[in-house]
Amino acid sequence: IELRSTLSTKYNESGDDFRANVLEDVYVGRNMVVPRGTEIRGEISYLKRPGRIRGRAQMNLRFDELRLPDGRYMPIEAKVVELEPRSAEKVRTKGDEGTIIAPGSRGADATRVGKSSGIGALIGVLGGGKSGAAVGAGAGAVAGLASILLTRGRDAVLESGTEMTIELMQDIEIPERP
């Protein structure tokens, strides 16, 4: 399926609706049962913002309804099992729940502390030589660490157009055409 709107742990809340479209005809045997373009409606069933020190952003999507192009609709229950491999965010699914988890920021955090430490050392060298460099490096590291403690980790973001694979968790019965 393809998501029709952007979903984010930063801007959305649990209960927000979303829409997606089926990208390929779905067959059972030789019979096409769900045509390409069928709309899927759902909502965000769980959302957790990233923590300041620990905890990654998480989002669960609940798929509620298929709306066929001819107007027929039916309830469904499905979960995300895979996201497109070229997703800009390295968001992945977790276990059987289909939870979408944002990547961690550990590497970026270490880089931030290292940069601020280096800048502090440079300022310290200019102001007080070798001993100033040590003091400046320590002060820079503290400043970098403080900035990490004051900011959240990376949010989980699914851009409009993100492709994903979903799996039905129960059989569905498609009503006869009117």
Side-chain angles (χ1 to χ4, degrees):
I1 65 171
E2 180 179 55
L3 198 56
R4 289 186 13 203
S5 55
T6 298
L7 301 177
S8 166
T9 54
K10 184 173 184 175
Y11 299 112
N12 290 103
E13 297 177 0
S14 290
D16 283 357
D17 292 335
F18 68 88
R19 306 280 186 270
N21 286 76
V22 174
L23 291 174
E24 299 174 9
D25 294 336
V26 178
Y27 289 86
V28 173
R30 293 184 181 193
N31 297 321
M32 183 187 48
V33 292
V34 179
R36 177 178 185 240
T38 296
E39 181 181 70
I40 297 177
R41 296 180 180 201
E43 74 175 44
I44 298 172
S45 61
Y46 173 76
L47 186 133
K48 177 183 145 193
R49 294 284 320 272
R52 296 194 188 279
I53 299 171
R54 293 178 31 168
R56 294 181 181 190
Q58 297 182 11
M59 182 177 3
N60 278 37
L61 304 180
R62 186 179 74 219
F63 300 90
D64 298 323
E65 183 178 80
L66 278 177
R67 286 198 170 259
L68 298 167
D70 64 8
R72 293 178 294 156
Y73 64 93
M74 70 227 52
I76 63 169
E77 189 176 329
K79 66 178 179 178
V80 175
V81 292
E82 185 178 2
L83 296 174
E84 67 182 18
R86 60 184 161 85
S87 179
E89 283 289 312
K90 297 299 180 201
V91 181
R92 61 185 172 85
T93 57
K94 172 187 168 189
D96 291 337
E97 308 115 29
T99 301
I100 297 158
I101 302 173
S105 59
R106 188 176 297 167
D109 292 346
T111 300
R112 191 182 318 174
V113 170
K115 282 182 180 179
S116 60
S117 180
I119 291 169
L122 179 62
I123 292 170
V125 164
L126 295 175
K130 286 184 180 180
S131 63
V135 171
V142 168
L145 187 57
S147 74
I148 290 167
L149 295 174
L150 294 174
T151 58
R152 291 186 176 273
R154 292 176 65 178
D155 281 287
V157 178
L158 297 175
E159 297 288 342
S160 176
T162 297
E163 295 178 15
M164 60 182 80
T165 303
I166 63 172
E167 179 181 290
L168 291 174
M169 300 183 60
Q170 63 183 17
D171 290 342
I172 61 172
E173 187 173 316
I174 298 176
E176 294 292 323
R177 290 191 172 128

